[in-house]
Each structure stands twice: as C-alpha cells, then as structure tokens.
Amino acid sequence: MRKGIFLKLLAAFLVVILAGAVMFDLTLGGAWQASLRNEIERNLIQKTQLLAHRVETDRNHSLADIAAQERQAAGARVTIINSAGNVLADSETNPASMENHAARPEFAAALGGKIGSDERRSATIGIPFLYVAVPISSGAVRLAYPLSDVEAVSAQVRRRLALA
C-alpha cells in the first residue's frame, strides 16, 4: 500500500515538473527567441547601412569585389540591385542568371526609400533567412543572414531544459 501511494505521488510530481517545463519553454523560450532575432535584425540593419555607404563611395573596387569582401566581413550573403530590380552583384551566384528582385518585400521597401526586412525560407537551401535591404542612390543593397543558428541554439536550450 505504501508503495502504491509513493508511485502515485512520484507520478504526480513528474507531471507537475513536466507541465512547469513546458510552460517555461512556451513563455520564456518564445520571448528569448524573439529577443535574439530582434538583436540579429538590429545588427544586420547596421551592417547593411555600412554596406550601402561603401557601395556609394568606393570607386576603387567593382560591385562584385565589394559583394565578395562584405560577405566575408558580415558573414551574410550580399546582393546589390539597380532601381529596376536587376541584380548587379551577388556574393553567392552569378547575377546574370538571377531573376529580377524588385518584388521581394525587403527590396520593394528599399526601392521605396525605406529600410526593408523580411524573414523567409530560402527556396534554394531550405533554411530560414533574415533579409535586410537599404536604399542607395542607384537601387538597393541587401544582406541575407541564415537563421539556422538561432534554430540550433533554441534546440540546444530545449534539450538542456529537457535534461534538467
């Protein structure tokens, strides 16, 4: 009889711990992930503005060279378009083979004179990216940062929570 009560109390205790862990994950985990994403977006906006300044002022390097160099410095894909949406330079792909980018949400905002951002899955790679575009006098520049790092850290936190 004592063993039966002990097992029932143990089961109830485990259910309460599990419910608490789930609530903790749903409330604080979501807020933490949103905070991390917002910090990444602020950082990416600053880097994109610096890229825009360089594209406007650097007359010693081609757009392709700037895109390649800034890809290394920012750790993000670089795309430069003209005011019609045609890709002039890209750090990952040959711009001649790329479609018009004017309708992409972040570029549409940038071509309208505002800072634009969007989060979506890459059709090519299948992972989520954060895209930030900034206007320049002759078009717009964009940085694309993979959010797979955020997903990996979130999964690691959830695993540690489950172990705890």
Tab-separated table of all heavy atoms in Angstrom, residues 104-147:
chain	number	residue	atom	x	y	z
A	104	ARG	N	10.640	41.456	-54.297
A	104	ARG	CA	10.932	40.878	-52.985
A	104	ARG	C	10.590	41.922	-51.926
A	104	ARG	O	10.918	43.105	-52.094
A	104	ARG	CB	12.410	40.474	-52.881
A	104	ARG	CG	12.891	39.586	-54.019
A	104	ARG	CD	12.797	38.118	-53.653
A	104	ARG	NE	13.005	37.249	-54.792
A	104	ARG	CZ	14.095	36.539	-55.026
A	104	ARG	NH1	15.111	36.610	-54.199
A	104	ARG	NH2	14.161	35.755	-56.073
A	105	PRO	N	9.934	41.520	-50.843
A	105	PRO	CA	9.436	42.507	-49.866
A	105	PRO	C	10.486	43.483	-49.345
A	105	PRO	O	10.235	44.689	-49.249
A	105	PRO	CB	8.887	41.643	-48.726
A	105	PRO	CG	8.600	40.322	-49.338
A	105	PRO	CD	9.579	40.155	-50.458
A	106	GLU	N	11.670	42.967	-49.013
A	106	GLU	CA	12.700	43.846	-48.460
A	106	GLU	C	13.228	44.816	-49.514
A	106	GLU	O	13.471	45.996	-49.231
A	106	GLU	CB	13.843	43.024	-47.838
A	106	GLU	CG	14.693	42.240	-48.817
A	106	GLU	CD	14.083	40.923	-49.302
A	106	GLU	OE1	12.953	40.573	-48.914
A	106	GLU	OE2	14.773	40.231	-50.077
A	107	PHE	N	13.345	44.356	-50.770
A	107	PHE	CA	13.812	45.237	-51.837
A	107	PHE	C	12.716	46.226	-52.243
A	107	PHE	O	13.010	47.373	-52.565
A	107	PHE	CB	14.270	44.434	-53.057
A	107	PHE	CG	15.710	44.004	-52.994
A	107	PHE	CD1	16.068	42.699	-53.269
A	107	PHE	CD2	16.721	44.902	-52.686
A	107	PHE	CE1	17.395	42.290	-53.224
A	107	PHE	CE2	18.055	44.510	-52.634
A	107	PHE	CZ	18.394	43.196	-52.905
A	108	ALA	N	11.466	45.794	-52.237
A	108	ALA	CA	10.366	46.709	-52.573
A	108	ALA	C	10.364	47.895	-51.608
A	108	ALA	O	10.202	49.051	-52.027
A	108	ALA	CB	9.030	45.973	-52.536
A	109	ALA	N	10.567	47.625	-50.313
A	109	ALA	CA	10.625	48.708	-49.326
A	109	ALA	C	11.842	49.592	-49.574
A	109	ALA	O	11.744	50.829	-49.537
A	109	ALA	CB	10.658	48.143	-47.911
A	110	ALA	N	12.996	48.980	-49.837
A	110	ALA	CA	14.224	49.753	-50.059
A	110	ALA	C	14.123	50.605	-51.317
A	110	ALA	O	14.573	51.756	-51.325
A	110	ALA	CB	15.432	48.819	-50.132
A	111	LEU	N	13.542	50.058	-52.373
A	111	LEU	CA	13.375	50.841	-53.598
A	111	LEU	C	12.386	51.982	-53.388
A	111	LEU	O	12.393	52.962	-54.126
A	111	LEU	CB	12.946	49.935	-54.756
A	111	LEU	CG	14.020	48.956	-55.239
A	111	LEU	CD1	13.444	48.000	-56.283
A	111	LEU	CD2	15.254	49.674	-55.766
A	112	GLY	N	11.542	51.851	-52.362
A	112	GLY	CA	10.619	52.921	-51.984
A	112	GLY	C	11.245	53.923	-51.019
A	112	GLY	O	10.571	54.807	-50.517
A	113	GLY	N	12.533	53.753	-50.718
A	113	GLY	CA	13.237	54.708	-49.874
A	113	GLY	C	13.292	54.361	-48.397
A	113	GLY	O	13.749	55.157	-47.588
A	114	LYS	N	12.839	53.169	-48.016
A	114	LYS	CA	12.829	52.770	-46.607
A	114	LYS	C	13.731	51.555	-46.399
A	114	LYS	O	14.056	50.849	-47.341
A	114	LYS	CB	11.406	52.400	-46.175
A	114	LYS	CG	10.414	53.511	-46.322
A	114	LYS	CD	9.021	53.022	-45.969
A	114	LYS	CE	8.028	54.136	-46.255
A	114	LYS	NZ	6.674	53.643	-46.340
A	115	ILE	N	14.067	51.301	-45.148
A	115	ILE	CA	14.775	50.072	-44.815
A	115	ILE	C	13.741	48.957	-44.832
A	115	ILE	O	12.679	49.073	-44.220
A	115	ILE	CB	15.442	50.166	-43.434
A	115	ILE	CG1	16.544	51.211	-43.458
A	115	ILE	CG2	15.998	48.804	-43.009
A	115	ILE	CD1	17.164	51.492	-42.099
A	116	GLY	N	14.035	47.887	-45.558
A	116	GLY	CA	13.103	46.768	-45.648
A	116	GLY	C	13.683	45.516	-45.033
A	116	GLY	O	14.891	45.289	-45.091
A	117	SER	N	12.822	44.708	-44.427
A	117	SER	CA	13.285	43.421	-43.895
A	117	SER	C	12.195	42.383	-44.102
A	117	SER	O	11.016	42.707	-44.184
A	117	SER	CB	13.664	43.526	-42.420
A	117	SER	OG	12.529	43.756	-41.627
A	118	ASP	N	12.629	41.140	-44.194
A	118	ASP	CA	11.700	40.024	-44.359
A	118	ASP	C	12.389	38.764	-43.858
A	118	ASP	O	13.618	38.663	-43.894
A	118	ASP	CB	11.309	39.860	-45.830
A	118	ASP	CG	10.156	38.889	-46.029
A	118	ASP	OD1	9.242	38.852	-45.181
A	118	ASP	OD2	10.178	38.139	-47.026
A	119	GLU	N	11.585	37.842	-43.388
A	119	GLU	CA	12.099	36.551	-42.950
A	119	GLU	C	11.355	35.479	-43.727
A	119	GLU	O	10.128	35.442	-43.727
A	119	GLU	CB	11.850	36.372	-41.454
A	119	GLU	CG	12.429	35.095	-40.892
A	119	GLU	CD	12.179	34.962	-39.397
A	119	GLU	OE1	12.157	35.983	-38.689
A	119	GLU	OE2	11.989	33.814	-38.954
A	120	ARG	N	12.112	34.623	-44.418
A	120	ARG	CA	11.500	33.548	-45.190
A	120	ARG	C	12.513	32.442	-45.427
A	120	ARG	O	13.713	32.644	-45.275
A	120	ARG	CB	10.939	34.071	-46.515
A	120	ARG	CG	11.968	34.644	-47.456
A	120	ARG	CD	11.318	35.181	-48.748
A	120	ARG	NE	12.313	35.741	-49.626
A	120	ARG	CZ	12.733	36.990	-49.617
A	120	ARG	NH1	12.229	37.838	-48.752
A	120	ARG	NH2	13.654	37.401	-50.461
A	121	ARG	N	11.995	31.288	-45.798
A	121	ARG	CA	12.844	30.147	-46.126
A	121	ARG	C	13.413	30.309	-47.517
A	121	ARG	O	12.716	30.685	-48.438
A	121	ARG	CB	12.033	28.857	-46.069
A	121	ARG	CG	12.302	28.118	-44.822
A	121	ARG	CD	11.653	26.765	-44.726
A	121	ARG	NE	11.417	26.484	-43.339
A	121	ARG	CZ	12.368	26.189	-42.468
A	121	ARG	NH1	13.601	26.104	-42.855
A	121	ARG	NH2	12.093	25.980	-41.209
A	122	SER	N	14.680	30.007	-47.638
A	122	SER	CA	15.325	30.046	-48.942
A	122	SER	C	14.807	28.877	-49.770
A	122	SER	O	14.856	27.730	-49.329
A	122	SER	CB	16.844	29.939	-48.780
A	122	SER	OG	17.441	29.641	-50.013
A	123	ALA	N	14.338	29.170	-50.963
A	123	ALA	CA	13.863	28.114	-51.853
A	123	ALA	C	15.023	27.230	-52.304
A	123	ALA	O	14.844	26.038	-52.563
A	123	ALA	CB	13.167	28.726	-53.062
A	124	THR	N	16.209	27.791	-52.355
A	124	THR	CA	17.382	27.046	-52.807
A	124	THR	C	17.932	26.117	-51.731
A	124	THR	O	18.161	24.940	-51.978
A	124	THR	CB	18.499	28.034	-53.213
A	124	THR	OG1	17.947	29.026	-54.063
A	124	THR	CG2	19.627	27.321	-53.917
A	125	ILE	N	18.115	26.648	-50.531
A	125	ILE	CA	18.772	25.892	-49.464
A	125	ILE	C	17.777	25.258	-48.494
A	125	ILE	O	18.077	24.261	-47.867
A	125	ILE	CB	19.753	26.805	-48.691
A	125	ILE	CG1	20.683	27.517	-49.652
A	125	ILE	CG2	20.575	26.014	-47.693
A	125	ILE	CD1	21.543	28.573	-49.002
A	126	GLY	N	16.605	25.869	-48.344
A	126	GLY	CA	15.581	25.320	-47.463
A	126	GLY	C	15.709	25.722	-46.009
A	126	GLY	O	15.044	25.152	-45.151
A	127	ILE	N	16.564	26.706	-45.706
A	127	ILE	CA	16.669	27.177	-44.327
A	127	ILE	C	16.166	28.613	-44.239
A	127	ILE	O	16.184	29.341	-45.238
A	127	ILE	CB	18.125	27.078	-43.791
A	127	ILE	CG1	19.078	27.940	-44.609
A	127	ILE	CG2	18.601	25.645	-43.733
A	127	ILE	CD1	20.479	28.041	-44.021
A	128	PRO	N	15.710	29.037	-43.065
A	128	PRO	CA	15.191	30.409	-42.947
A	128	PRO	C	16.312	31.447	-42.969
A	128	PRO	O	17.388	31.216	-42.416
A	128	PRO	CB	14.469	30.401	-41.595
A	128	PRO	CG	15.118	29.316	-40.821
A	128	PRO	CD	15.570	28.293	-41.817
A	129	PHE	N	16.032	32.557	-43.621
A	129	PHE	CA	16.963	33.678	-43.687
A	129	PHE	C	16.253	34.934	-43.232
A	129	PHE	O	15.051	35.087	-43.424
A	129	PHE	CB	17.439	33.909	-45.128
A	129	PHE	CG	18.601	33.062	-45.543
A	129	PHE	CD1	18.394	31.775	-46.005
A	129	PHE	CD2	19.895	33.545	-45.477
A	129	PHE	CE1	19.464	30.986	-46.401
A	129	PHE	CE2	20.968	32.757	-45.877
A	129	PHE	CZ	20.755	31.479	-46.339
A	130	LEU	N	17.029	35.847	-42.659
A	130	LEU	CA	16.559	37.193	-42.383
A	130	LEU	C	17.179	38.077	-43.453
A	130	LEU	O	18.408	38.083	-43.623
A	130	LEU	CB	16.998	37.658	-40.993
A	130	LEU	CG	16.658	39.108	-40.650
A	130	LEU	CD1	15.146	39.325	-40.671
A	130	LEU	CD2	17.231	39.483	-39.292
A	131	TYR	N	16.340	38.779	-44.193
A	131	TYR	CA	16.787	39.657	-45.277
A	131	TYR	C	16.588	41.106	-44.856
A	131	TYR	O	15.505	41.468	-44.390
A	131	TYR	CB	15.976	39.398	-46.552
A	131	TYR	CG	16.096	38.003	-47.098
A	131	TYR	CD1	15.208	37.001	-46.733
A	131	TYR	CD2	17.113	37.680	-47.994
A	131	TYR	CE1	15.322	35.720	-47.241
A	131	TYR	CE2	17.233	36.398	-48.511
A	131	TYR	CZ	16.333	35.428	-48.135
A	131	TYR	OH	16.448	34.155	-48.645
A	132	VAL	N	17.617	41.933	-45.042
A	132	VAL	CA	17.518	43.362	-44.759
A	132	VAL	C	18.071	44.110	-45.974
A	132	VAL	O	19.181	43.825	-46.424
A	132	VAL	CB	18.293	43.761	-43.484
A	132	VAL	CG1	18.334	45.272	-43.338
A	132	VAL	CG2	17.672	43.126	-42.253
A	133	ALA	N	17.276	45.054	-46.493
A	133	ALA	CA	17.689	45.848	-47.653
A	133	ALA	C	17.631	47.332	-47.299
A	133	ALA	O	16.752	47.776	-46.562
A	133	ALA	CB	16.795	45.551	-48.852
A	134	VAL	N	18.586	48.075	-47.858
A	134	VAL	CA	18.709	49.513	-47.615
A	134	VAL	C	18.825	50.207	-48.968
A	134	VAL	O	19.509	49.712	-49.867
A	134	VAL	CB	19.969	49.793	-46.745
A	134	VAL	CG1	20.244	51.269	-46.633
A	134	VAL	CG2	19.819	49.169	-45.371
A	135	PRO	N	18.150	51.359	-49.113
A	135	PRO	CA	18.241	52.063	-50.396
A	135	PRO	C	19.602	52.712	-50.612
A	135	PRO	O	20.273	53.115	-49.675
A	135	PRO	CB	17.156	53.143	-50.278
A	135	PRO	CG	16.939	53.335	-48.823
A	135	PRO	CD	17.268	52.029	-48.159
A	136	ILE	N	20.001	52.774	-51.888
A	136	ILE	CA	21.149	53.566	-52.330
A	136	ILE	C	20.659	54.413	-53.498
A	136	ILE	O	19.551	54.206	-53.996
A	136	ILE	CB	22.368	52.689	-52.724
A	136	ILE	CG1	22.002	51.690	-53.828
A	136	ILE	CG2	22.931	51.970	-51.503
A	136	ILE	CD1	23.193	50.881	-54.354
A	137	SER	N	21.464	55.346	-53.945
A	137	SER	CA	21.002	56.274	-54.991
A	137	SER	C	20.639	55.565	-56.289
A	137	SER	O	19.746	56.009	-57.003
A	137	SER	CB	22.070	57.339	-55.243
A	137	SER	OG	23.267	56.731	-55.690
A	138	SER	N	21.301	54.459	-56.591
A	138	SER	CA	21.046	53.787	-57.868
A	138	SER	C	20.273	52.474	-57.717
A	138	SER	O	20.202	51.693	-58.657
A	138	SER	CB	22.384	53.512	-58.558
A	138	SER	OG	23.195	52.704	-57.713
A	139	GLY	N	19.713	52.199	-56.539
A	139	GLY	CA	18.975	50.952	-56.318
A	139	GLY	C	18.909	50.590	-54.857
A	139	GLY	O	18.457	51.392	-54.036
A	140	ALA	N	19.407	49.396	-54.511
A	140	ALA	CA	19.370	48.946	-53.117
A	140	ALA	C	20.417	47.856	-52.900
A	140	ALA	O	20.857	47.194	-53.844
A	140	ALA	CB	17.982	48.414	-52.766
A	141	VAL	N	20.802	47.690	-51.639
A	141	VAL	CA	21.706	46.615	-51.234
A	141	VAL	C	20.995	45.780	-50.179
A	141	VAL	O	20.157	46.279	-49.443
A	141	VAL	CB	23.052	47.151	-50.693
A	141	VAL	CG1	23.799	47.908	-51.765
A	141	VAL	CG2	22.850	48.007	-49.458
A	142	ARG	N	21.364	44.495	-50.121
A	142	ARG	CA	20.715	43.594	-49.175
A	142	ARG	C	21.733	42.642	-48.561
A	142	ARG	O	22.647	42.178	-49.243
A	142	ARG	CB	19.643	42.771	-49.886
A	142	ARG	CG	18.980	41.732	-48.979
A	142	ARG	CD	17.993	40.888	-49.731
A	142	ARG	NE	18.699	39.893	-50.550
A	142	ARG	CZ	18.101	39.037	-51.363
A	142	ARG	NH1	16.778	39.059	-51.496
A	142	ARG	NH2	18.794	38.163	-52.071
A	143	LEU	N	21.545	42.358	-47.293
A	143	LEU	CA	22.264	41.284	-46.622
A	143	LEU	C	21.253	40.224	-46.234
A	143	LEU	O	20.138	40.547	-45.789
A	143	LEU	CB	22.994	41.785	-45.366
A	143	LEU	CG	24.214	42.665	-45.585
A	143	LEU	CD1	24.797	43.100	-44.245
A	143	LEU	CD2	25.275	41.958	-46.400
A	144	ALA	N	21.620	38.971	-46.404
A	144	ALA	CA	20.763	37.842	-46.031
A	144	ALA	C	21.518	36.998	-45.019
A	144	ALA	O	22.588	36.467	-45.322
A	144	ALA	CB	20.414	37.020	-47.272
A	145	TYR	N	20.961	36.881	-43.810
A	145	TYR	CA	21.618	36.158	-42.726
A	145	TYR	C	20.846	34.877	-42.431
A	145	TYR	O	19.634	34.921	-42.194
A	145	TYR	CB	21.675	37.043	-41.477
A	145	TYR	CG	22.385	36.399	-40.327
A	145	TYR	CD1	23.770	36.369	-40.269
A	145	TYR	CD2	21.674	35.804	-39.292
A	145	TYR	CE1	24.430	35.767	-39.211
A	145	TYR	CE2	22.325	35.207	-38.231
A	145	TYR	CZ	23.699	35.193	-38.195
A	145	TYR	OH	24.346	34.590	-37.155
A	146	PRO	N	21.528	33.733	-42.406
A	146	PRO	CA	20.823	32.477	-42.114
A	146	PRO	C	20.404	32.404	-40.646
A	146	PRO	O	21.206	32.645	-39.756
A	146	PRO	CB	21.865	31.397	-42.444
A	146	PRO	CG	23.181	32.076	-42.311
A	146	PRO	CD	22.954	33.527	-42.657
A	147	LEU	N	19.137	32.090	-40.415
A	147	LEU	CA	18.624	31.977	-39.051
A	147	LEU	C	18.743	30.559	-38.512
A	147	LEU	O	18.212	30.257	-37.444
A	147	LEU	CB	17.168	32.454	-38.997
A	147	LEU	CG	16.977	33.947	-39.245
A	147	LEU	CD1	15.504	34.310	-39.261
A	147	LEU	CD2	17.720	34.769	-38.203
